Amino acid sequence: MFRKVLIANRGEIALRVIRACRELRIATVAVFSEADRDSLHVRLADESVCIGPPPPSQSYNYIARLISAAEVTGADAIHPGYGFLSENAHFADVCVSCGFTFIGPTSEMIRRMGDKAVARRTMREAGLPCVPGSEGVLADVDEAQSLAGSIGYPVIIKAAAGGGGRGMRVAWDEKQLRAGFGIAQAEAGAAFSNDAVYLEKYIARPRHIEFQLFGDGQGHLIHLGERECSVQRNHQKLIEESPSPFLSDAQRRSVGAMAVKGAQAIGYLNAGTMEFLFDQDGSFYFMEMNTRIQVEHPVTEEVTGLDLVKEQIRVAAGESLSLTQDQVEWRGHAIECRINAEDYEHGFRPSPGKITYWYKPGGPGIRVDSHVYAGYGVPPYYDSMIGKLIAYGKDRPEALRRMEIALEEIIVEGIKTTVPFHQLAIRDARFQSGDIDTHFVEALLKKEPVAAG
Ligand code: MV4
């Protein structure tokens, strides 16, 4: 097992990794930017190293500084968390070539799944259902047009280097396709320095359901069930839950087995998530694979009773998975609300600043993963998430009720947060009945004009 782990991240996930290391009796090194000097991850880690000025490019994304910090502190492994360098294959390579274990999959797996057109081909060859579309990237707009003509409109053009909804363009007819193709290419080129795009049939109003996967170095690969992530806005998830209210046990077993088969095709190692879109009629399609621990991993932890971060560390250190597929048991229901420093009444605009008062809800089935405290200043440089509120119950109604109570209990003063949005969403009749798709937030905010005050 490792003696010392450096956490190449900040915020709640840095705390989450520190806690997992503590349980495993591994020493921890925090890294921090000048804007995060007073952050809890700095206080709770055994050691800390300042890695530069506030902008991520000068700190959390600055590979040479992270490696230097690992070298001077004598760490033997690096946990990337989510975001920042967590899906950067080059970073994984540099870690390994400098003698540090990267707590995640190999750089080769990150690279393969990072190219969404390659991921799609790989999973189709492994037998997973994929939306009809192009065989790899498109050469030009004429190829796009002839393909769209044969599969039928609407279609969606996606950046091969994209993912998470970035660099996508929907076309409902030939004219929109010809106009959108160049825009998609230009956007992809500007955002990812790679203008390769591919095409798929567009699925209207899908559900986003993702499966948690885990592989170890001994060739074991298991799935830990799914998370329903349809409640999102501008590709930012707001509420996640497990299990999905939409899936039957038989569907869970069959899609889970598919996901395992796909991950086995690339010999997948460590934690990964396979994202599927579900059609209104229950058909499902592989979309992409994320090669990191995700923000919403706690809902899976609550219903399986596992510690996914500890599992990541153990597997990276060469140990076997702590259980087999047959031993995975799902119990109850968990929901997560992302508490962001955002003013939802004004288009979810960022609301950084000092938190003057903070009261953390509690009671049976309530978990709060957060790095903030009264007096903490939310810096404007990073992601606006200040914490995750997770409610567990024996069934969905109990989890929902506990969430509703926790949202009434929580107090955050000094900044605006997404708490009022969550209160609205959780009480919505459609949400209560589980009737949610990726257009839920839009429909909710349209229907319910935000009350003054
Ligand atoms: C799609 C789609 C419809 N049809 N692909 C957005 C995130 C990225 N992982 C895939 N995304 C989509 N791909 C086809 N062929 C609709 C989306 C999509 C979406 C997916 C999941 C959650 C929210 C979404 C919001 C808008 C569009």
Side-chain angles (χ1 to χ4, degrees):
M1 184 45 74
F2 307 121
R3 281 177 308 107
K4 196 184 274 192
V5 168
L6 178 136
I7 299 125
N9 215 301
R10 63 180 301 281
E12 71 84 21
I13 192 64
L15 290 195
R16 178 73 190 81
V17 177
I18 290 170
R19 287 172 176 146
C21 288
R22 283 242 160 116
E23 280 194 46
L24 295 168
R25 301 185 191 283
I26 299 168
T28 53
V29 181
V31 293
F32 63 99
S33 75
E34 285 160 16
D36 280 336
R37 218 168 264 291
D38 299 326
S39 287
L40 270 186
H41 75 285
V42 178
R43 271 204 234 178
L44 295 189
D46 297 304
E47 287 172 82
S48 62
V49 181
C50 182
I51 49 165
S57 62
Q58 292 300 304
S59 51
Y60 300 104
N61 282 334
Y62 200 128
I63 294 177
R65 289 187 179 154
L66 295 164
I67 297 293
S68 300
E71 270 165 1
V72 299
T73 55
D76 32 32
I78 298 179
H79 195 301
Y82 51 68
F84 295 122
L85 297 170
S86 59
E87 293 180 286
N88 184 311
H90 173 64
F91 180 55
D93 274 334
V94 174
C95 288
V96 173
S97 63
C98 292
F100 304 107
T101 302
F102 177 81
I103 301 177
T106 64
S107 64
E108 170 62 22
M109 296 164 194
I110 298 174
R111 214 167 262 122
R112 259 176 100 178
M113 294 299 107
D115 183 319
K116 304 303 165 186
V118 171
R120 178 178 145 84
R121 189 178 334 117
T122 305
M123 293 310 157
R124 198 171 43 87
E125 284 167 9
L128 271 69
C130 291
V131 192
S134 60
E135 204 52 64
V137 301
L138 296 162
D140 54 36
V141 68
D142 293 322
E143 188 189 349
Q145 191 183 326
S146 95
L147 188 64
S150 66
I151 66 177
Y153 288 90
V155 296
I156 183 166
I157 308 159
K158 298 182 173 181
R166 296 187 306 164
M168 307 191 323
R169 265 277 176 308
V170 178
W172 292 82
D173 56 39
E174 206 163 272
K175 190 158 161 266
Q176 287 183 354
L177 179 70
R178 296 202 75 92
F181 186 86
I183 300 170
Q185 260 188 335
E187 279 181 1
F192 317 112
S193 314
N194 173 359
D195 69 359
V197 294
Y198 63 105
L199 182 143
E200 288 178 347
K201 172 102 186 150
Y202 178 66
I203 312 289
R205 307 184 75 90
R207 280 175 172 256
H208 171 149
I209 299 176
E210 58 186 31
F211 275 73
Q212 177 69 55
L213 293 158
F214 239 107
D216 67 19
Q218 288 71 43
H220 305 116
L221 229 152
I222 62 171
H223 78 85
L224 301 176
E226 81 285 6
R227 295 182 288 258
E228 165 73 62
C229 303
S230 297
V231 180
Q232 55 79 46
R233 181 184 169 273
N234 293 345
H235 306 293
Q236 290 295 317
K237 294 167 187 166
L238 287 159
I239 305 177
E240 303 97 344
E241 60 183 302
S242 187
S244 164
F246 184 72
L247 282 197
S248 66
D249 287 346
Q251 274 175 310
R252 175 168 311 104
R253 262 195 304 279
S254 95
V255 186
M258 287 265 187
V260 166
K261 195 169 73 167
Q264 263 162 350
I266 57 167
Y268 197 74
L269 202 59
N270 216 288
T273 298
M274 220 173 259
E275 178 189 325
F276 293 91
L277 288 194
F278 278 68
D279 222 334
Q280 298 298 318
D281 66 9
S283 318
F284 63 94
Y285 310 96
F286 167 80
M287 277 293 122
E288 48 191 75
M289 182 167 187
N290 300 319
T291 55
R292 60 170 191 276
I293 190 81
Q294 300 209 162
V295 173
E296 58 271 29
H297 76 274
V299 296
T300 300
E301 296 187 320
E302 296 302 314
V303 298
T304 60
L306 295 168
D307 182 321
L308 300 198
V309 180
K310 261 162 66 180
E311 207 66 24
Q312 277 195 294
I313 298 168
R314 296 182 52 258
V315 161
E319 293 184 14
S320 298
L321 282 170
S322 61
L323 77 179
T324 62
Q325 188 69 61
D326 289 344
Q327 292 170 327
V328 179
E329 283 183 62
W330 292 275
R331 190 180 168 149
H333 199 99
I335 305 173
E336 172 180 281
C337 288
R338 297 193 189 188
I339 313 297
N340 297 339
E342 290 172 4
D343 182 357
Y344 107 95
E345 295 183 18
H346 293 97
F348 291 81
R349 72 174 172 213
S351 176
K354 199 185 192 79
I355 296 177
T356 54
Y357 193 91
W358 165 252
Y359 177 75
K360 201 166 95 164
I366 296 298
R367 165 175 170 185
V368 181
D369 279 17
S370 172
H371 60 292
V372 310
Y373 51 87
Y376 174 78
V378 179
Y381 310 101
Y382 313 110
D383 188 279
S384 64
M385 195 175 76
I386 59 165
K388 306 183 297 202
L389 176 53
I390 303 119
Y392 174 82
K394 65 180 183 302
D395 51 23
R396 191 169 188 266
E398 187 174 70
L400 276 173
R401 182 66 188 138
R402 285 176 172 171
M403 180 61 86
E404 203 179 340
I405 295 165
L407 287 166
E408 283 167 11
E409 265 182 35
I410 192 170
I411 305 173
V412 192
E413 283 173 3
I415 58 165
K416 297 275 191 188
T417 73
T418 45
V419 167
F421 164 80
H422 288 304
Q423 290 178 321
L424 191 68
I426 294 288
R427 289 172 186 154
D428 179 78
R430 278 187 58 205
F431 186 90
Q432 289 270 337
S433 72
D435 174 24
I436 35 183
D437 59 41
T438 50
H439 289 70
F440 173 78
V441 177
E442 196 185 14
L444 179 76
L445 297 180
K446 207 171 280 170
K447 179 176 80 180
E448 199 117 8
V450 177

